[in-house]
Amino acid sequence: MVTGLKNPPTDHAGLLAWVAEVAELTTPDQIVWCDGSDAEWKRLTSELVAFGTLEPVPAKPDSFLARTNPNDVARVEERTFICSTNPEDAGPTNNWTSPEYMRETMTDLYRGSMRGRTMYVIPFCMGSLEAEKPMFGVEITDSAYVVISMHIMARMGTHVLEAMGGDAEYVPALHSVGAPLEPGQSDVSWPCNDTKYISHFPETREIWSYGSGYGGNSLLGKKCYALRIGSAMGRDEGWLAEHMLILRLTSPEGKVYHITGAFPSACGKTNLAMLEPTIPGWKVETLGDDIAWLRWGEDGRLWASNPEYGLFGVAPGTDYRTNPNAMRTIEKGHTLFTNVALTEEGDVWWEGMGEPPANATDWKGNEWTPDSEGLSSHPNSRFCTPIKQCPILSDAYEDPRGVPIDAILFGGRRATTIPLVTQARDWTHGVYMGATLSSETTAAAVGQVGVVRRDPMAMLPFIGYNAGDYFDHWIGMGKSADDESKLPSVFYVNWFRRDEDGGFLWPGFGENSRVLKWVVERLEGKAEAVETPIGFNPRPEDIDVEGLDMDPNDLAASLKVDPEEWKAELPLVEEWFTKIGNRLPTQLWAELDALKSRLGVDEE
Ligand SMILES: Nc1nc2c(ncn2[C@@H]2O[C@H](COP(=O)(O)OP(=O)(O)OP(=O)(O)O)[C@@H](O)[C@H]2O)c(=O)[nH]1
Ligand SMILES: O=C([O-])CC(=O)C(=O)O
Ligand SMILES: [Mn+2]
């Protein structure tokens, strides 16, 4: 028997049986039950430094840099599967295989896949341990990098295992980098496999991941549990698992609002969540930057909580001018950087962080100077840092109930068509906005960058079931509200509209507070808007631009509702709805028809 099976730190029979079963299949050298302690962090980071997987970042306390295999740098959507019994239940937006086929295929891959390695067992909890029903998970992994990342990203360790007791339900999440070692074989600094599978079994609430050590592919509490499995749980139990930031906004009069925002990967969630307002008297506090669970509160309102414990933020573009609070968060240390550059002074650097260093080591480990041809950092390079270090973290962060939501923002990265901000007419229209959300692809997933695709509710890669059913669940959430006036108001934003020269029309970042101001003043009935074919839109004079040095033509262009551009969008929406097929709620076709008639497009 491998060490670690004897005298385990739990008497949870189901968990013990699963751990034994996985050990027998994957044949690791030893099993380590992760306790989440500082000593464990020190031991594993030291081992990884000695081994060459991590390099210390001396300029920041207790911080490290990892360089991945250049073929393992982002989520692999093509290799992500939803394995429901009926393919219809995975729907047209997911890759599908039958659960039997996937279990057989992956069992073959897992056989002996941890040979020569340590198998870590990570008990974790997404969201508060004080929740009515704590959302437990256990990740088994053969990657120590995953263990230390989970130290940051989730509540994990002995206290979670104790809270699970002998019989708590949990989501089993199995991960192997797929790189077994033969006796005497030397290891590489970033083991992974060309064959990759990120598989989900929504019916049995299981996750099986193989071949990648990166981000959302391997930190299985995040996208796999909190979004894909979570969304299927939410459908069954009457809540929503969403790809959303959560922030608290306080007006100069001291009124408090909570806003969530769903923007696709690398489209500004972390930045908006940590925003430093440029307008006087307004204050933003952070609650979450990537994932929100939305549940009904006792008051009949929708409440949002952040199930994560850390931030896994896009590094490029982050600096003191764009996101000072992210910089202050990582300055405190205890941060893992992946695929960024290391300067001669022993600090991290990436594109967009002020002046480039004269000399650095790039993300591939090569010498780099500002004259070098390639980028110093991978476009999807990341910082992984404890959310508790965020200087503007809201004191409601630990509250298991979360916060009541006043407004939901949907947003994408669109060079044309989509105005800076639009308010939906009502909940169903808001669901239509979310369901037809579109965005240019980014480096957060493997594949071509800059291609416009539909990304409904910013959840295209994360809906764990049929997208038509998911839209229906959203509409149903509105119907189940005891009073429509208690529902959040929905807005559609676009920070990324461009002028003819390709420059952004809107300055973005801290200036987005001006848009948030209009949003809450709409809720208060104070701000003006005009009704347009696409919803309620501000005129230039409705946006507070005091102190903003901006060409009025650019402001007008960023807000413009151009009927011709919107008419060009209609066939794309029709194609999208047709792709979703017969499970698309009829209300959304009706919304499209209503939009057509408001645009003066004749029905044939
Ligand atoms: N022009 C412009 N760029 C922005 C704005 N907000 C964020 N960005 C840039 O967009 C990129 C992604 O921003 P993030 O805030 O990390 O995006 P995210 O949605 O949290 O991304 P994920 O972590 O992948 O889900 C970064 O390079 C930012 O600098 C904005 O308001 N305007
Ligand atoms: O999951 C990841 O690897 C990174 C992330 O937050 C996203 O892509 O939205
Ligand atoms: Mn983010």
Side-chain angles (χ1 to χ4, degrees):
M1 195 154 76
V2 293
T3 59
L5 278 179
K6 268 191 233 158
N7 305 320
T10 175
D11 56 8
H12 192 302
L15 175 57
L16 289 171
W18 179 58
V19 168
E21 183 195 322
V22 172
E24 194 182 330
L25 175 66
T26 60
T27 62
D29 278 0
Q30 56 167 339
I31 299 172
V32 169
W33 291 78
C34 297
D35 60 17
S37 64
D38 291 345
E40 181 172 83
W41 166 273
K42 283 215 168 61
R43 176 168 53 81
L44 291 179
T45 52
S46 308
E47 278 177 26
L48 287 167
V49 168
F51 191 68
T53 305
L54 292 184
E55 199 170 326
V57 177
K60 297 196 171 21
D62 199 23
S63 296
F64 302 90
L65 164 65
R67 295 189 188 94
T68 72
N69 181 310
N71 295 319
D72 194 22
V73 293
R75 284 183 294 102
V76 283
E77 296 182 1
E78 284 303 308
R79 307 299 306 160
T80 300
F81 294 84
I82 299 295
C83 307
S84 48
T85 306
N86 179 350
E88 279 277 297
D89 291 334
T93 60
N94 283 309
N95 300 311
W96 177 87
T97 78
S98 73
E100 295 73 35
Y101 173 85
M102 190 57 82
R103 279 181 205 283
E104 221 178 284
T105 305
M106 291 190 73
T107 298
D108 283 346
L109 292 172
Y110 283 134
R111 191 164 291 118
S113 76
M114 297 189 187
R115 196 160 55 240
R117 298 193 182 278
T118 299
M119 173 176 130
Y120 300 94
V121 183
I122 312 170
F124 67 93
C125 184
M126 298 311 290
S128 172
L129 275 158
E130 311 301 319
E132 215 172 290
K133 181 177 167 254
M135 302 290 271
F136 294 116
V138 177
E139 177 161 354
I140 293 181
T141 179
D142 53 9
S143 161
Y145 168 87
V146 165
V147 176
I148 54 167
S149 300
M150 289 291 282
H151 265 240
I152 296 170
M153 293 306 297
R155 296 163 176 87
M156 56 81 75
T158 304
H159 69 298
V160 175
L161 196 60
E162 280 166 2
M164 285 175 65
D167 57 4
E169 272 180 40
Y170 66 95
V171 170
L174 174 54
H175 172 249
S176 172
V177 293
L181 291 167
E182 304 309 329
Q185 184 185 344
S186 64
D187 203 354
V188 292
S189 61
W190 188 270
C192 59
N193 196 301
D194 286 343
T195 300
K196 293 178 173 60
Y197 283 95
I198 320 296
S199 302
H200 306 73
F201 304 91
E203 287 145 3
T204 49
R205 320 281 202 228
E206 291 167 276
I207 300 158
W208 287 16
S209 168
Y210 179 90
S212 167
Y214 198 79
N217 299 331
S218 67
L219 313 179
L220 303 184
K222 193 173 176 57
K223 308 294 181 178
C224 298
Y225 181 165
L227 288 179
R228 297 197 191 94
I229 297 293
S231 64
M233 292 173 160
R235 169 200 58 191
D236 297 343
E237 299 167 5
W239 53 279
L240 290 165
E242 296 299 326
H243 192 203
M244 287 177 174
L245 69 100
I246 315 168
L247 65 83
R248 170 178 287 184
L249 180 66
T250 307
S251 73
E253 299 84 52
K255 286 201 188 146
V256 174
Y257 297 93
H258 297 105
I259 298 176
T260 66
F263 314 152
S265 299
C267 292
K269 290 183 301 300
T270 300
N271 276 268
L272 192 72
M274 303 178 118
L275 169 142
E276 204 162 68
T278 50
I279 41 178
W282 292 79
K283 187 167 109 183
V284 165
E285 290 161 276
T286 307
L287 285 138
D289 83 317
D290 200 50
I291 300 179
W293 284 347
L294 276 45
R295 295 188 169 97
W296 295 113
E298 280 166 18
D299 58 358
R301 299 182 64 192
L302 261 185
W303 290 57
S305 65
N306 171 14
E308 300 195 277
Y309 210 49
L311 310 167
F312 187 66
V314 176
T318 307
D319 85 340
Y320 276 99
R321 280 163 306 168
T322 56
N323 192 348
N325 287 314
M327 297 302 284
R328 292 173 194 130
T329 306
I330 62 181
E331 214 50 67
K332 292 182 189 160
H334 318 293
T335 298
L336 285 180
F337 298 93
T338 304
N339 289 342
V340 304
L342 193 63
T343 68
E344 277 184 326
E345 291 74 41
D347 206 349
V348 289
W349 192 82
W350 46 71
E351 278 66 29
M353 192 207 282
E355 286 303 302
N359 270 294
T361 309
D362 72 10
W363 70 279
K364 291 181 176 168
N366 300 320
E367 246 181 74
W368 186 91
T369 71
D371 296 327
S372 296
E373 220 169 83
L375 296 171
S376 77
S377 305
H378 188 275
N380 191 40
S381 55
R382 300 269 170 168
F383 55 83
C384 176
T385 195
I387 198 168
K388 289 276 181 75
Q389 292 182 186
C390 174
I392 59 162
L393 187 69
S394 160
D395 59 10
Y397 166 74
E398 288 278 15
D399 191 330
R401 293 170 308 170
V403 292
I405 315 169
D406 298 289
I408 294 174
L409 313 182
F410 289 121
R413 189 182 275 271
R414 284 292 304 267
T416 66
T417 317
I418 315 295
L420 183 62
V421 58
T422 306
Q423 184 177 20
R425 310 161 78 87
D426 55 28
W427 180 260
T428 306
H429 184 222
V431 175
Y432 172 87
M433 283 179 170
T436 58
L437 185 74
S438 54
S439 196
E440 294 154 20
T441 51
T442 68
V446 172
Q448 218 186 328
V449 169
V451 184
V452 173
R453 67 173 187 184
R454 298 295 128 183
D455 192 340
M457 283 81 173
M459 282 283 282
L460 179 69
F462 309 121
I463 303 170
Y465 57 103
N466 185 300
D469 294 347
Y470 169 76
F471 300 150
D472 198 48
H473 182 43
W474 262 88
I475 290 174
M477 287 293 283
K479 281 199 206 126
S480 64
D482 52 22
D483 177 353
E484 165 122 18
S485 73
K486 287 186 180 171
L487 286 169
S489 188
V490 177
F491 296 79
Y492 192 169
V493 301
N494 178 22
W495 317 139
F496 300 95
R497 205 170 187 178
R498 292 177 190 260
D499 60 23
E500 273 133 39
D501 304 325
F504 292 117
L505 286 165
W506 176 251
F509 302 105
E511 307 296 358
N512 291 335
S513 55
R514 301 174 188 275
V515 175
L516 297 184
K517 177 181 175 190
W518 183 79
V519 163
V520 303
E521 289 185 351
R522 286 295 294 166
L523 304 179
E524 293 174 346
K526 286 207 298 219
E528 299 281 337
V530 284
E531 193 171 352
T532 73
I534 64 168
F536 296 99
N537 292 83
R539 300 159 303 173
E541 59 268 36
D542 298 324
I543 300 287
D544 177 358
V545 287
E546 205 179 310
L548 176 62
D549 182 19
M550 183 178 181
D551 181 344
N553 294 321
D554 284 350
L555 178 62
S558 74
L559 294 171
K560 187 173 180 202
V561 180
D562 180 340
E564 293 313 311
E565 286 183 316
W566 280 90
K567 283 179 196 168
E569 200 77 2
L570 296 173
L572 303 175
V573 173
E574 211 160 304
E575 186 188 333
W576 166 240
F577 280 2
T578 305
K579 176 179 169 178
I580 301 302
N582 59 4
R583 295 208 195 176
L584 187 95
T586 52
Q587 292 94 325
L588 295 184
W589 280 115
E591 285 291 339
L592 176 59
D593 287 342
L595 174 61
K596 277 186 189 165
S597 76
R598 288 194 299 264
L599 284 166
V601 176
D602 289 333
E603 297 294 317
E604 69 278 17

